Amino acid sequence: MNPEILLTLTVLLAAVVLFITEWLRVDLVAFSLLMILAVTGIITYDEALAGFSNHAVVTIASILVLSAGLQRTGIAHIIGNNIMRLAGTNQLRLLIIMMVTVGLLSGFMNNIGVAVLLLPVVLDIANRTHQSPSKLLIPLAFASLLGGLTTLIGTAPNILINSTLQDQGQQPFRLFDFTPLGLVVLLAGITYMVFFGRHLLPDRDLGRATSLGDLLTTQYDLPKRLITLRLPEGSPLVGHNLASSRLGAALGFNVLAIFNHKSTQLAPGPEAEIHADDRLLVEGRTRNLEMLQEWRNLVMKRGWLIGEHQLSAAMSFTTMRVTSHSAKLGKTLKEAGFRHEFAVNILGVMIDDRIKATRLSQYRLNNEDTLIVMGSAPQIEALKNEHQFTDFHPLTPRDLALKYQLHRQVIAIQLPMESSLGGKSITESRLKEALGINVLAIQRNQENYFMPDADFMISGGDTLIVLGHADILEVLHGLQSLESEEQPQINLEELESDQVGVGEITLAPRTNVLGKTLGSLQFRERYGLSVLAIWRKDRAFRTNLRDRELEAGDALLVYGRREQLARLQKDSDFLVLTGIDQEIYHKEKAPVAGVIELGVLISVALGWLPIYIGAPLGATLMILTRCISIDEAYRAIEWKAIILIAGMLGLGVAMQKTGATALLAHNILGALDFMGPVGISAGLFIITCISAQIMPTAAVAVIMAPLALNTAADFGLSPQALAMVVALGSSSAFLSPVGHPVNLLVMGLGGYRFADYTKVGLPMVLLLLLIAVFILPIFWPLGL
């Protein structure tokens, strides 16, 4: 084994490990490995970049745009919806019609797009027919994978495998060369699911419904967390809006409605005012109200505290401007992490001629923003050495008070000696979240502890010097004055109307919000919807939602105005499953989109245009005819997949050039030569199928297709036949939820566990293995 082969195989092994562990994003892995191969000279610079202009990459991007055009004009939805309605209430008929519809549509559209389109329809039918979604959603996901095998453009691995055939001088597949075998696979998969597989599916009663009352009382079990709060006469909160009252920030409450003797306000927004004798229906924990009562003995005072508590002696103050090349631009102050990174506090932001000194954590930094900063003298000096900031002007405490009026924001909180907060860290006390404050210093026994970290332990008798809103004492007293009734006497169905209702949303397969919290996303502020619960796997989470990281497959129960849900439907990070009638489509463009798609299929099928020209032409026409906007077209392209494929194509070139592909083919598949063509075909399918469970299917196709073609050349077998085996194996990601994005999409909604996929998917894999060994040679003989 020469050094070039050894290095290439090391890079391949590193790619596999990183794909499995997900330590890095798959596109970053592929691009990094591509650069390594180029820098080490394994491939030339031109070969490193050739993948980005590869026929397969151009075709895949174009197919995604075509698919989005069909989706945006409503063609796929109309066809799928009307066909699905024919199923009626019979569960078996629904299963068959659903899998046939999804499978056939997946032959011409991106399979993820098909699943996304029909998912709300299937959930709606399941609800109306009182069937558990867990009996339908794995079949939906599996049908989309099987349907991708019915045409050349059905899935990315098909296109990549065909490109490999073409690059190695072999006869490529035509558009419908996949169809005979693909239809057999689809029919076999549906037959398996009808007679055997559906009995392996879990029957979990998730209690899904479209009314708020049903959802709250069944699946999400929220009635126990509903509280009616009354605002007494003379409360300091009278005249406040919901945002300034801090009901959400301090208590973690979602306000569902405001009742008074004159009217009922459903799903009130943050600007809704509250008045004396208003009754607020909220969702939350009564324990949080009890916590506020424990804070009754807190003593607060405002005034000239900067000098009084020696802040001016220990701390320095300055203004500074954010430069145009700062890495902090576009980040919120919380994300920018000034306190963690530079050990300084931001007291305010100068915006034009006004000072912003409240709710700073969610303020996004803009170019030329001027920040008012407090920190120790050495830390301020260190900031001056940062190229991200400029125009430093030192300030005196007098400047802060007279020029910026910031002395009003500096408040002292005196803890009684027997305070329940004693012995807790700053984080555990929840003072920061509840009151929206930032602890600048803690005074204890005549000593001052400046800039304490989050783990600093509070003691009874401490005085906390904090930065916060001037009226937090008033707000705290107002919250403590609220009167609660734990069992609200209200018909929950009255909380819905034509304008307001409940909805369920899930994360889109290509979402950018994985691992982020609702708080960091500013979900309530951005979308105007309250998240009441998160359904994950087979249970509902109802507490600490704002700080809970989102995971693939999560379903979120939201409440708010239906127009806000409709706006959310246009967001590429979320899918709206219930709560609105249907997506707004460009139906007037449906005939145009249909003609364009048909034109692409006919021109490619008859050989007038190659697929890598016909598909881009169709995508361009979709944009020019305004079936889809240029921005929607760019969003439709899965750029992460494009980078992944282009990078892996470079690895494929390296394996071919160095002889690594031939070495692997000879040592792995060559070992099965004693079993003849059948054994080689079976071994190739098994290796490809196992790889598809743990790696992106596109990457699997790029690696395994050259291996198959080298094996075909070594043992005198048909390259097309073995390429078709790789296609079957690449689309057999049935054994785990992480095998394909479609599997993850339905996991939370169906309440599935990891083992459910293995239990239902293993017989499906064995069925496809039998098809690859015994049925495939009928259409594609193994021998030349």
Side-chain angles (χ1 to χ4, degrees), residues 303-315:
W304 186 249
L305 298 176
I306 293 177
E308 179 180 331
H309 289 279
Q310 304 173 13
L311 284 178
S312 59
M315 296 285 115

Side-chain angles (χ1 to χ4, degrees), residues 361-383:
S361 64
Q362 299 306 323
Y363 177 77
R364 291 195 178 276
L365 290 171
N366 299 303
N367 188 21
E368 303 299 315
D369 272 351
T370 296
L371 308 181
I372 302 171
V373 183
M374 181 190 83
S376 66
Q379 296 302 334
I380 296 293
E381 287 301 314
L383 274 178

Side-chain angles (χ1 to χ4, degrees), residues 2-8 11 36-44 47 650-651 653-655 657-658:
N2 61 46
E4 289 80 9
I5 293 179
L6 182 61
L7 177 59
T8 303
V11 169
I36 292 173
L37 293 171
V39 170
T40 55
I42 299 297
I43 57 177
T44 66
E47 288 171 335
L651 177 57
V653 171
M655 292 179 64
K657 280 184 63 177
T658 60

Side-chain angles (χ1 to χ4, degrees), residues 558-635:
V558 298
Y559 179 65
R561 302 191 67 81
R562 298 191 193 278
E563 63 186 31
Q564 298 298 112
L565 272 172
R567 291 194 187 99
L568 183 63
Q569 195 167 38
K570 298 178 182 179
D571 193 294
S572 59
D573 288 322
F574 299 96
L575 302 176
V576 178
L577 303 174
T578 62
I580 55 177
D581 292 335
Q582 61 177 332
E583 187 174 358
I584 300 173
Y585 296 108
H586 300 157
K587 292 184 178 179
E588 71 281 0
K589 296 292 184 180
V592 179
V595 169
I596 292 173
E597 178 73 10
L598 191 61
V600 170
L601 295 177
I602 292 175
S603 64
V604 173
L606 295 180
W608 297 342
L609 292 173
I611 185 65
Y612 53 84
I613 295 297
L617 176 60
T620 304
L621 290 174
M622 283 283 190
I623 298 169
L624 292 176
T625 57
R626 298 186 178 179
C627 294
I628 185 174
S629 71
I630 185 69
D631 290 335
E632 289 171 332
Y634 277 116
R635 286 197 298 269

Side-chain angles (χ1 to χ4, degrees), residues 507 511-521 536 546-554:
L507 306 188
T511 185
N512 293 311
V513 303
L514 286 178
K516 297 182 180 179
T517 65
L518 293 172
S520 66
L521 293 174
R536 181 170 295 166
R546 187 176 178 84
D547 300 320
R548 194 177 296 276
E549 293 185 355
L550 296 175
E551 297 180 3
D554 281 352

Side-chain angles (χ1 to χ4, degrees), residues 64-75 589 593 622 627-628 636:
L64 290 172
V65 174
L66 282 170
S67 178
L70 295 178
Q71 179 177 344
R72 198 71 188 89
T73 56
I75 290 181
K589 296 292 184 180
M622 283 283 190
C627 294
I628 185 174

Side-chain angles (χ1 to χ4, degrees), residues 251-262:
L251 298 172
F253 286 164
N254 285 307
V255 181
L256 305 182
I258 300 176
F259 305 101
N260 56 44
H261 64 281
K262 294 181 180 179

Side-chain angles (χ1 to χ4, degrees), residues 170 665-666 669-670 673 676-678 680-681 707-723 780-784:
Q170 302 294 337
H666 178 77
L669 294 176
D673 183 37
V678 171
I680 293 176
S681 178
L707 199 67
L709 299 190
N710 271 269
T711 302
D714 287 346
F715 298 100
L717 302 177
S718 166
Q720 288 78 18
L722 292 192
W780 299 94
L782 291 172
L784 291 174

